[in-house]
Amino acid sequence: MAGPLRRRLPLLPLLPLLLLAAGGLRAAERSGGSSSAMEELATEKEAEESHRQDSVSLLTFILLLTLTILTIWLFKHRRVRFLHETGLAMIYGLIVGVILRYGTPSTSGHDKPFSCSQEDRPFTTLLVNVSGKFFEYTLKGEISPGKIHNVEQNDMLRKVTFDPEVFFNILLPPIIFHAGYSLKKRHFFRNLGSILAYAFLGTAVSCFIIGNLMYGVVKLMKLVGQLSDKFYYTDCLLFGAIISATDPVTVLAIFNELHADVDLYALLFGESVLNDAVAIVLSSSIVAYQPTGENTHAFDAAAFFKSVGVFLGIFSGSFMMGAVTGVVTALVTKFTKLHCFPLLETALFFLMSWSTFLLAEACGFTGVVAVLFCGITQAHYTYNNLSVESRSRTKQLFEVLHFLAENFIFSYMGLALFTFQKHIFSPVFIIGAFVAIFLGRAAHIYPLSFLLNLGRRHKISWSFQHMMMFSGLRGAMAFALAIRDTATYSHQMMFSTTLLIVFFTVWIVGGGTTPMLSWLNIRVGVDPDQDPPPTNDSFQVLQGDGQDSARRNRTKQESAWLFRLWYSFDHNYLKPILTHSGPPLTTTLPSWCGLIARCLTSPQVYDNQEQLREEDSDFILNDGDLTVTYGDTTITANGSSGPHTATTNLDSRRTKSSSEEALEHDLGAADHEVTSRGTRLVFPLEYNA
């Protein structure tokens, strides 16, 4: 036994060491576990702090909107018109931006730059190995070497700086859809030719004039040494497209409040609605301009025509997508019983309308164009199929969303002046931009108005042209287009300049709308259903010069010829197919289509003795449609006349009775009255007893 015991004795001194080693391992495990627990706790605290800051940033904007609404009420109560609600939102945004910029301390440490010299391009997502743990980082943009130590260290300012996609995917759709859904069709279509000319041709002219003038300004800046980085000709054209997007929301709000001339309102509103769509497609086409040579910014005919093709393809594709979505919604609401469940009906309408924007963007088209024409299609077809509750709900829903989104964007504009970290303000570029915008707007309005007046019955007067020139404000669309890409030096300068232009036009130009209306002697307090005063040719009809005079005037309606061509097909075929209104298809389709006609025609068409009112038909006059009343004498378009007891037009709508006219006569309101398919057009004339 002694031998084995002696052989084990040398191991006895090692036992304390083994025990110490085992204890050390257990201590290291406990230390590692506690370190991991501390890291998890720190991560949870950071996540909680980030959540709190997100809530504070959203609460800031909600309080801004609340304060704006209360101030708007005060202004409306006091009848203050020198500052619009969007201008108020911008002022409050500026105040909050100053507080956040200079009143909140930095809350995060400086970031440490790492070098990746082996890579020749940036990665969207980066995985960093820190002590065996991998952390994911996302790309936020390029930082110039001179500003590497000026990266924003205030977490709160980072939180209130939104991703540009938020504007395009969340805030813009309700604004654009509401513009199409609330369109006053009869005034819009009456001026359709002029609106299309201003929106398409005028925007293109403005874009190229501004772009070329700004290219000269850039050359001047380079000559005097105020240009520190590259600024190409295509960048100037892109700036021209961005800043050509007009948004006269302030002017139109004042027009609506004062009931300004309906034709002027229609021209400005129609131009601004389509102008936004044209501007965004035009900017996409300019970005797609890629010459094949070594100089990627030189003029290339092939690349130019490719950009034109991109413009036409994107616009037409977006238009078709919006129209098809509206048609599908109309068919669903017509051939289902959704009207029995107004909540489901409203929810489906909302989702189909909003999805149009996202569907177009996902397919490579432009969501702004798609959702605009979806709104127009929904208002023209789907609206007629909705229940009474859903009609009211959809109108109010999109009106509220439009109001909140628009004021949110203008509040953010004021905030961005102090929170945006990549501002580049160049006095020469800013002054040149204001001059270029003025000249581009003048070349947009006056030459086109001259050409349009050659074919218009009701001319666009000089006062209208001056007001349209004055009303070329820039707003939400220009800001959204400019902030979408601020990665380069040129785009950062364009964004800062666009921001200042929006401030100036909303505050100065918007505030001067009421004095300008007075100075130009433009009519206010006009009934929206009242037409412009008649020309001398119209007085010949009223004076009863006979059948020849009536025939000379009845074919020159105010509605655009393009709309008159479209109306017949729409009224006879599309409206009966897609809605519960219009003539039965059994009366418009050939007899061999009887089965299809009966399947597609709604039973309500046969049940209703009086069709749903066709708002678009107010200016489509045919033989016998025109009825003129003077005193107790009725003169029709075929020259017949007689005592006026009750006159019925083609739609079986009665005009005012003789007792009503007698009352107007007693009140001194002996007006000439024209009845055209149920719409009264009152022309005040001096009454001679």
Side-chain angles (χ1 to χ4, degrees):
M1 296 295 294
L5 183 60
R6 283 194 299 267
R7 286 194 295 267
R8 293 175 183 174
L9 285 177
L11 297 176
L12 294 177
L14 298 178
L15 289 176
L17 297 177
L18 293 174
L19 293 175
L20 290 174
L25 288 174
R26 287 193 295 269
E29 290 177 357
R30 287 196 300 270
S31 175
S34 62
S35 175
S36 176
M38 291 296 292
E39 290 179 0
E40 292 179 358
L41 183 61
T43 302
E44 291 178 358
K45 287 185 177 180
E46 290 181 359
E48 183 179 353
E49 180 66 19
S50 177
H51 173 72
R52 186 187 67 83
Q53 291 174 353
D54 288 337
S55 301
V56 172
S57 63
L58 292 177
L59 178 63
T60 300
F61 285 102
I62 290 176
L63 292 178
L64 277 175
L65 292 176
T66 304
L67 186 60
T68 302
I69 291 172
L70 293 176
T71 313
I72 291 171
W73 168 82
L74 180 63
F75 275 33
K76 288 183 178 294
H77 181 67
R78 300 294 182 182
R79 302 197 178 194
V80 177
R81 296 192 181 97
F82 67 88
L83 187 62
H84 187 247
E85 59 201 41
T86 54
L88 278 172
M90 294 172 70
I91 292 176
Y92 290 142
L94 282 171
I95 296 174
V96 174
V98 172
I99 295 174
L100 292 177
R101 165 57 59 189
Y102 302 107
T104 56
S106 298
T107 54
S108 63
H110 287 277
D111 298 326
K112 181 180 179 181
F114 291 91
S115 298
C116 300
S117 57
Q118 297 179 354
E119 304 297 335
D120 57 353
R121 65 181 181 87
F123 293 95
T124 304
T125 303
L126 191 64
L127 296 178
V128 180
N129 186 349
V130 181
S131 301
K133 295 182 178 181
F134 289 90
F135 298 89
E136 181 182 3
Y137 295 86
T138 57
L139 179 66
K140 296 196 68 174
E142 181 183 1
I143 301 173
S144 60
K147 296 184 178 181
I148 190 65
H149 298 293
N150 296 328
V151 179
E152 182 54 61
Q153 300 302 319
N154 192 320
D155 288 341
M156 190 61 196
L157 290 181
R158 286 181 173 180
K159 292 293 184 182
V160 297
T161 303
F162 286 96
D163 189 331
E165 294 304 316
V166 172
F167 293 98
F168 269 83
N169 294 332
I170 298 178
L171 298 177
L172 275 185
I175 295 176
I176 303 300
F177 182 86
H178 178 264
Y181 194 53
S182 62
L183 189 69
K184 295 181 179 180
K185 292 179 291 182
R186 64 188 299 260
H187 301 299
F188 177 84
F189 287 116
R190 184 169 65 188
N191 298 278
L192 181 61
S194 301
I195 290 172
L196 291 177
Y198 285 128
F200 283 87
L201 186 58
T203 304
V205 169
S206 175
C207 169
F208 283 99
I209 288 180
I210 294 175
N212 283 279
L213 290 176
M214 293 311 299
Y215 188 63
V217 172
V218 168
K219 288 293 185 182
L220 177 62
M221 292 173 61
K222 186 176 182 180
L223 187 63
V224 299
Q226 292 194 9
L227 197 66
S228 59
D229 208 337
K230 297 178 180 179
F231 208 121
Y232 297 107
Y233 177 68
T234 51
D235 295 326
C236 296
L237 287 180
L238 179 62
F239 178 72
I242 290 173
I243 211 64
S244 294
T246 60
D247 186 16
V249 57
T250 305
V251 175
L252 293 175
I254 295 175
F255 279 12
N256 190 48
E257 185 177 353
L258 297 177
H259 299 289
D261 189 283
V262 290
D263 278 334
L264 177 61
Y265 183 94
L267 288 172
L268 273 175
F269 180 78
E271 182 210 354
S272 66
V273 167
L274 294 180
N275 166 274
D276 289 346
V278 174
I280 190 172
V281 179
L282 197 59
S283 62
S284 301
S285 303
I286 294 172
V287 172
Y289 177 79
Q290 295 178 349
T292 55
E294 295 182 358
N295 188 355
T296 58
H297 295 274
F299 178 78
D300 188 334
F304 172 77
F305 287 109
K306 179 182 177 181
S307 296
V308 174
V310 168
F311 175 86
L312 297 176
I314 292 178
F315 195 93
S316 58
S318 304
F319 165 77
M320 289 300 299
M321 188 166 291
V324 167
T325 306
V327 167
V328 170
T329 310
L331 290 173
V332 170
T333 54
K334 177 182 178 180
F335 291 104
T336 61
K337 298 291 185 179
L338 274 174
H339 63 273
C340 300
F341 306 94
L343 179 61
L344 300 180
E345 190 178 37
T346 304
L348 178 67
F349 183 93
F350 173 80
L351 294 176
M352 290 292 290
S353 302
W354 201 304
S355 64
T356 304
F357 183 93
L358 300 177
L359 179 62
E361 292 288 335
C363 295
F365 296 110
T366 300
V368 171
V369 180
V371 78
L372 170 64
F373 286 100
C374 176
I376 296 175
T377 307
Q378 301 276 47
H380 190 58
Y381 298 115
T382 311
Y383 184 81
N384 293 325
N385 301 335
L386 300 178
S387 61
V388 177
E389 294 88 347
S390 295
R391 291 182 184 183
S392 177
R393 286 177 179 177
T394 54
K395 286 283 187 181
Q396 294 174 359
L397 173 63
F398 280 101
E399 186 176 6
V400 171
L401 291 176
H402 162 264
F403 173 81
L404 293 177
E406 189 170 59
N407 282 279
F408 184 94
I409 290 179
F410 279 93
S411 298
Y412 186 79
M413 287 184 198
L415 203 68
L417 189 62
F418 292 97
T419 60
F420 186 72
Q421 288 297 296
K422 302 176 182 179
H423 279 307
I424 298 178
F425 295 104
S426 172
V428 177
F429 191 86
I430 293 170
I431 295 174
F434 275 99
V435 175
I437 289 171
F438 178 82
L439 296 178
R441 184 68 177 174
H444 173 179
I445 296 298
Y446 295 113
L448 276 180
S449 299
F450 171 78
L451 296 176
L452 290 171
N453 280 337
L454 298 178
R456 284 179 61 99
R457 182 184 184 188
H458 292 286
K459 309 300 182 184
I460 304 174
S461 64
W462 282 107
S463 60
F464 279 20
Q465 296 178 39
H466 296 330
M467 195 67 214
M468 293 179 68
M469 170 71 188
F470 179 80
S471 303
L473 282 73
R474 271 63 179 178
M477 180 57 69
F479 174 79
L481 288 174
I483 200 176
R484 197 171 193 181
D485 182 7
T486 57
T488 63
Y489 168 84
S490 59
H491 288 192
Q492 292 165 11
M493 184 182 295
M494 288 157 50
F495 171 72
S496 302
T497 305
T498 301
L499 201 57
L500 293 181
I501 291 172
V502 172
F503 286 166
F504 177 84
T505 55
V506 170
W507 288 339
I508 306 302
V509 179
T513 300
T514 303
M516 183 62 69
L517 285 172
S518 177
W519 184 62
L520 294 175
N521 295 322
I522 294 176
R523 298 188 307 161
V524 294
V526 179
D527 184 356
D529 292 328
Q530 182 178 346
D531 273 359
T535 61
N536 292 333
D537 293 336
S538 301
F539 284 109
Q540 293 177 1
V541 181
L542 296 176
Q543 293 166 358
D545 283 353
Q547 183 176 2
D548 294 336
S549 178
R551 286 178 177 175
R552 284 196 305 267
N553 292 278
R554 70 171 182 263
T555 57
K556 293 183 179 180
Q557 281 71 46
E558 293 86 344
S559 52
W561 63 271
L562 184 62
F563 172 66
R564 294 201 300 270
L565 293 177
W566 161 258
Y567 170 76
S568 178
F569 175 76
D570 176 64
H571 177 72
N572 293 330
Y573 302 105
L574 293 184
K575 271 290 185 72
I577 292 175
L578 301 177
T579 70
H580 300 300
S581 63
L585 288 173
T586 52
T587 63
T588 57
L589 289 177
S591 57
W592 54 272
C593 297
L595 180 61
I596 299 177
R598 285 190 294 272
C599 292
L600 295 179
T601 302
S602 174
Q604 286 88 329
V605 174
Y606 300 102
D607 297 338
N608 295 336
Q609 294 298 323
E610 181 172 335
Q611 300 294 331
L612 294 177
R613 185 176 185 274
E614 296 288 337
E615 295 183 358
D616 305 337
S617 65
D618 293 333
F619 296 97
I620 309 299
L621 308 183
N622 300 314
D623 292 347
D625 285 350
L626 185 62
T627 303
V628 180
T629 303
Y630 182 76
D632 293 331
T633 303
T634 300
I635 306 174
T636 61
N638 58 14
S640 61
S641 61
H644 178 66
T645 55
T647 303
T648 306
N649 59 10
L650 291 181
D651 286 341
S652 301
R653 291 184 176 87
R654 301 179 66 251
T655 60
K656 292 166 52 176
S657 63
S658 57
S659 60
E660 293 175 317
E661 289 190 7
L663 178 60
E664 289 184 352
H665 178 79
D666 294 338
L667 295 175
D671 297 338
H672 286 79
E673 181 176 308
V674 179
T675 302
S676 170
R677 295 200 176 201
T679 299
R680 291 194 308 136
L681 311 179
V682 181
F683 302 149
L685 297 175
E686 181 180 358
Y687 176 69
N688 298 320

